[in-house]
C-alpha cells in the first residue's frame, strides 16, 4: 500500500516512504472538503529520489526498448482498469467536471502511455549520414551514423490543471527513451500522480526508475531542479517559474523542455462562421474553467463583426451551468483555490478601472461552498489593458476590435506569449496565410482542437522545445554521432 490512514507516502527508489515534513491537506475546490493528505518531502528525501533515479538509469537505459514499452502498456491497462476511481479522485482534486476528468485527464493519460508503448521503429532511427567530402577532401570521407541516446535523469515538474495527462505526457516518452524520472507534482493535486506511480510499479517498472516527491514548500521543486543527478528538467507552469528554473538549468547546462504561459489570440474575420468561433472561444469558460494555457482568451475581431460576436459570446456564457462538477449538466466548475479566484477577480476589477465593460459574468454564483466564478466577458477593451496582455488563467475572455488584416496580425503578435493562436475565416486561403504569420508554436484554423501527434510548444515566453507524438521522443533524447573510416 502507498498510503496509510493519516496520509499518502512518497515514492522513492521503489519504496513508499513516510515524509519527513509530515502531511498537508488537499482540498476539493468544489466543496472545500478534504480530499486527502499529501506528503511534504524534505530536501534530503528529494536528493534520495534523484540519487535513486541515477542509480537505476544504467540498467533501465540498457533494457531493450520492447521491454520498456511493455511496462508502459501494462501501466496503461492498469490505469484504464481503475478509470472510475481515478477520475473521481482527479475531479475532487482539480474541480474538473466528471466528463473532463474521465476523458481528458485519466483517458488522455491512458492514451499517452499506450502511444509510447507502441512506438514505431521508424521513430527511433535517424537515417545514416555519409559525409561525401569535407575539409580534407575525398581522403577524409567517413561513415557516420546518428543514433538517439537517453538524456539521463529527467525531472518532471507538472501543472495543477491536469494531474494525469500532463505527467503522463512527460513520464511515458521519457521512460520509453530509456530515461529515469523524478516527478514533482503540483502541490494542489498530487494524489493522482501517486496513483500513476502505483500503476507503473505494478506494471513492473524497476526500483528507482520512477520516483515521486511532493510538497507545498517551493524548496522541494528547487531541490529537484538543482540536484546534480538531474540531467534534464521538463516543466509545465507559469513563465515566471520557468524563467527561474531556466536560470538554474543554464548554470549546469541541463536540458530543458518548458511549456509555459499563454495568452492565445483568436483572430476572427468578418466572414467567419460565427457559431464555430463562439463555440471555440467559449471553451475558455468551460474547459478547466479557463485554467489552461492554450485557451483563446484574447479575441481580436474585425470591426464589422464586433457587436454580433460580443452579443453571441455573452449569450453563450450566460447559458453555461456553473456548479458542482460531479453533477450532470455542469459545464463550469470551480477555480483551483480561493487565492487563485481572488487573483482572477482582481483582473476583472482592474479591467473595469481601465475602461472595459463586463458584459457577462464577473461575479461569484450563489453557491454556499466552492471557489466559483461565473464566465466573464470583457468588451470595450484596448490592447494595452493588463487584462488583455497578461495571463489570467481563469474563465475570462477579452474582446478587442481591429479593421484590416494587417492590424489583426500585428495585434495578435504584440504579446510576450506565443503558445497557441487561432484564426476564424470563411476564406481558408486567408486563414492559412494569416496562420503562417502568427508568432505562435501552434495555430488552430477554424478550430480549437488539437492533433496529438503535432509538435506542441511555444514561441517567445511561452516556452522552449517541442513535445507530443514523435517530437517527445526527440525531446527526451540526445543525438549521438558514431563515425568510422570510409
Amino acid at each position: 500500500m502507498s498510503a496509510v490512514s493519516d496520509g499518502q507516502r512518497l515514492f522513492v527508489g521503489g519504496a513508499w516512504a513516510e515524509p519527513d515534513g509530515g502531511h498537508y491537506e488537499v482540498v476539493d475546490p468544489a466543496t472545500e472538503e478534504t480530499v486527502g493528505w499529501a506528503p511534504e518531502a524534505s530536501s534530503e528525501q528529494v536528493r534520495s529520489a534523484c540519487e535513486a533515479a541515477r542509480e537505476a538509469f544504467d540498467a533501465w537505459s540498457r533494457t531493450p526498448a520492447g521491454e520498456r514499452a511493455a511496462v508502459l502498456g501494462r501501466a496503461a491497462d492498469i490505469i484504464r482498469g481503475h478509470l472510475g476511481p481515478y477520475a473521481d479522485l482527479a475531479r475532487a482534486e482539480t474541480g474538473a467536471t466528471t466528463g473532463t476528468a474521465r476523458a481528458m485527464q485519466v483517458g488522455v493519460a491512458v492514451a499517452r502511455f499506450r502511444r509510447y508503448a507502441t512506438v514505431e521503429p521508424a521513430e527511433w532511427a535517424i537515417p545514416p549520414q555519409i559525409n561525401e567530402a569535407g575539409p580534407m577532401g575525398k581522403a577524409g570521407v567517413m561513415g557516420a551514423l546518428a543514433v538517439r541516446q537517453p538524456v539521463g535523469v529527467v525531472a518532471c515538474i507538472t501543472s495543477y490543471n491536469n494531474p494525469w495527462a500532463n505527467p503522463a505526457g512527460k513520464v511515458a516518452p521519457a521512460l520509453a527513451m530509456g530515461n529515469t524520472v523524478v516527478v514533482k507534482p503540483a502541490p494542489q493535486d498530487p494524489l493522482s500522480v501517486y496513483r500513476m506511480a502505483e500503476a507503473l510499479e505494478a506494471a513492473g517498472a524497476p526500483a528507482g526508475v520512477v520516483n515521486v516527491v511532493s510538497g507545498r514548500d517551493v524548496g522541494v521543486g528547487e531541490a529537484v531542479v538543482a540536484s546534480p543527478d538531474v540531467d534534464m528538467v521538463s516543466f509545465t507552469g507559469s513563465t515566471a517559474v520557468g524563467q527561474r528554473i531556466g536560470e538554474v538549468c543554464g548554470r549546469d547546462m541541463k536540458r530543458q523542455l518548458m511549456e509555459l504561459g499563454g495568452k492565445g489570440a483568436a483572430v476572427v474575420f468578418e466572414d467567419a462562421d460565427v457559431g464555430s468561433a463562439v463555440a471555440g472561444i467559449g471553451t475558455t469558460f468551460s474547459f478547466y474553467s479557463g485554467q489552461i494555457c492554450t485557451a483563446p482568451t484574447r479575441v481580436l475581431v474585425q470591426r464589422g463583426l464586433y457587436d454580433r460576436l460580443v452579443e453571441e459570446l455573452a449569450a453563450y456564457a450566460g447559458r453555461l451551468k456553473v456548479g458542482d462538477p460531479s453533477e450532470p449538466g455542469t459545464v463550469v466548475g470551480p477555480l483551483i483555490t480561493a487565492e487563485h479566484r481572488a487573483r482572477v477577480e482582481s483582473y476583472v476589477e482592474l479591467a473595469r478601472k481601465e475602461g472595459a465593460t463586463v458584459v457577462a459574468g464577473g461575479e461569484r454564483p450563489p453557491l454556499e461552498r466552492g471557489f466559483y466564478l461565473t464566465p466573464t466577458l470583457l468588451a470595450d477593451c484596448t490592447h494595452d489593458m493588463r487584462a488583455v496582455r497578461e495571463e489570467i488563467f481563469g474563465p475570462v475572455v477579452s474582446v478587442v476590435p481591429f479593421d484590416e488584416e494587417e492590424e489583426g496580425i500585428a495585434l495578435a503578435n504584440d504579446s510576450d506569449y506565443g503558445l497557441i493562436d487561432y484564426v476564424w475565416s470563411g476564406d481558408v486561403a486567408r486563414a492559412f496565410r494569416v496562420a503562417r504569420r502568427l508568432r505562435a508554436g501552434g495555430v488552430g484554423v477554424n478550430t480549437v482542437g488539437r492533433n496529438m501527434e503535432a509538435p506542441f510548444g511555444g514561441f517567445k515566453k511561452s516556452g522552449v522545445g517541442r513535445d507530443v507524438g514523435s517530437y517527445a521522443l526527440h525531446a527526451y533524447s540526445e543525438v549521438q554521432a558514431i563515425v568510422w573510416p570510409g
Side-chain angles (χ1 to χ4, degrees):
M1 293 290 290
S2 66
V4 292
S5 59
D6 58 348
Q8 170 69 51
R9 294 188 178 114
L10 304 166
F11 189 53
V12 176
W16 296 95
E18 290 292 340
D20 290 344
H23 293 86
Y24 66 90
E25 185 181 24
V26 176
V27 175
D28 184 333
T31 66
E32 302 183 49
E33 296 176 352
T34 301
V35 177
W37 296 90
E40 184 80 33
S42 65
S43 295
E44 183 178 343
Q45 288 177 311
V46 171
R47 287 193 293 271
S48 295
C50 297
E51 290 169 359
R54 169 63 62 203
E55 185 175 345
F57 170 69
D58 184 59
W60 179 250
S61 65
R62 291 186 290 107
T63 299
E67 293 182 23
R68 298 198 299 260
V71 171
L72 300 179
R74 290 193 294 269
D77 292 340
I78 291 167
I79 296 169
R80 180 66 181 84
H82 292 80
L83 176 61
Y86 286 173
D88 288 343
L89 176 60
R91 176 186 51 74
E93 285 194 284
T94 65
T97 63
T98 298
T100 296
R102 291 180 66 91
M104 302 306 298
Q105 295 190 347
V106 182
V108 170
V110 171
R112 285 180 166 170
F113 275 103
R114 285 181 176 158
R115 163 66 177 85
Y116 297 105
T118 55
V119 173
E120 295 294 328
E123 294 181 290
W124 295 93
I126 300 175
Q129 302 169 16
I130 303 298
N131 299 319
E132 294 297 341
M136 295 178 287
K138 291 292 184 181
V141 172
M142 303 285 285
L145 176 65
V147 297
R148 295 203 179 280
Q149 298 280 16
V151 178
V153 176
V154 179
C156 302
I157 304 178
T158 66
S159 60
Y160 72 73
N161 58 353
N162 196 323
W164 280 95
N166 186 260
K170 300 177 185 298
V171 171
L175 295 184
M177 278 305 309
N179 303 283
T180 56
V181 299
V182 178
V183 187
K184 194 280 177 185
Q188 298 91 338
D189 49 13
L191 301 178
S192 290
V193 181
Y194 285 103
R195 303 290 82 73
M196 185 181 298
E198 285 181 345
L200 284 161
E201 180 188 33
V209 169
V210 177
N211 307 270
V212 184
V213 290
S214 59
R216 289 181 299 184
D217 192 314
V218 296
V220 176
E222 289 174 347
V224 172
V225 173
S227 169
D229 289 306
V230 167
D231 301 293
M232 174 180 174
V233 177
S234 176
F235 171 71
T236 300
S238 72
T239 295
V241 175
Q243 288 171 322
R244 294 199 294 273
I245 291 173
E247 291 173 0
V248 176
C249 289
R251 289 197 293 269
D252 292 327
M253 300 306 295
K254 296 180 181 182
R255 284 279 297 277
Q256 303 169 50
L257 179 60
M258 300 278 185
E259 192 233 307
L260 307 178
K263 191 70 178 178
V267 184
V268 185
F269 289 96
E270 290 175 346
D271 61 354
D273 181 326
V274 177
S276 172
V278 168
I281 296 164
T283 60
T284 301
F285 303 134
S286 57
F287 196 48
Y288 299 133
S289 301
Q291 298 169 113
I292 184 166
C293 51
T294 58
T297 57
R298 189 167 50 109
V299 178
L300 310 173
V301 56
Q302 203 163 17
R303 199 172 298 275
L305 190 62
Y306 179 86
D307 290 338
R308 181 184 172 190
L309 188 69
V310 168
E311 180 182 353
E312 294 202 18
L313 276 172
Y316 183 93
R319 291 193 298 268
L320 301 177
K321 180 182 176 181
V322 181
D324 187 342
S326 66
E327 292 182 0
T330 294
V331 179
V332 183
L335 296 172
I336 191 69
T337 63
E339 293 77 14
H340 184 57
R341 178 176 61 180
R343 177 183 179 275
V344 175
E345 289 174 325
S346 72
Y347 270 103
V348 177
E349 182 58 29
L350 177 62
R352 282 194 179 102
K353 292 178 179 178
E354 291 182 324
T357 301
V358 180
V359 295
E363 58 194 10
R364 300 181 184 185
L367 299 170
E368 292 184 1
R369 289 188 170 187
F371 311 128
Y372 296 95
L373 184 68
T374 53
T376 303
L377 182 66
L378 304 175
D380 302 319
C381 296
T382 58
H383 207 255
D384 59 350
M385 292 178 176
R386 285 183 60 190
V388 176
R389 301 193 65 84
E390 298 178 14
E391 185 177 40
I392 298 175
F393 222 58
V396 181
V397 170
S398 58
V399 188
V400 177
F402 71 90
D403 291 302
E404 301 299 327
E405 179 178 310
E406 288 297 320
E407 182 188 6
I409 295 169
L411 288 173
N413 287 335
D414 183 17
S415 174
D416 290 336
Y417 300 106
L419 188 56
I420 295 188
D421 287 344
Y422 305 88
V423 181
W424 269 275
S425 174
D427 183 341
V428 176
R430 173 167 66 177
F432 275 87
R433 179 176 70 241
V434 170
R436 290 291 299 272
R437 294 186 59 191
L438 296 180
R439 298 289 296 167
V443 181
V445 173
N446 294 326
T447 183
V448 292
R450 280 182 56 196
N451 181 320
M452 299 307 291
E453 291 297 310
F456 181 68
F459 287 15
K460 298 182 278 188
K461 291 184 180 180
S462 285
V464 177
R466 297 293 182 272
D467 67 354
V468 182
S470 297
Y471 296 90
L473 299 175
H474 304 173
Y476 294 100
S477 62
E478 296 278 16
V479 177
Q480 179 187 61
I482 301 174
V483 299
W484 62 92

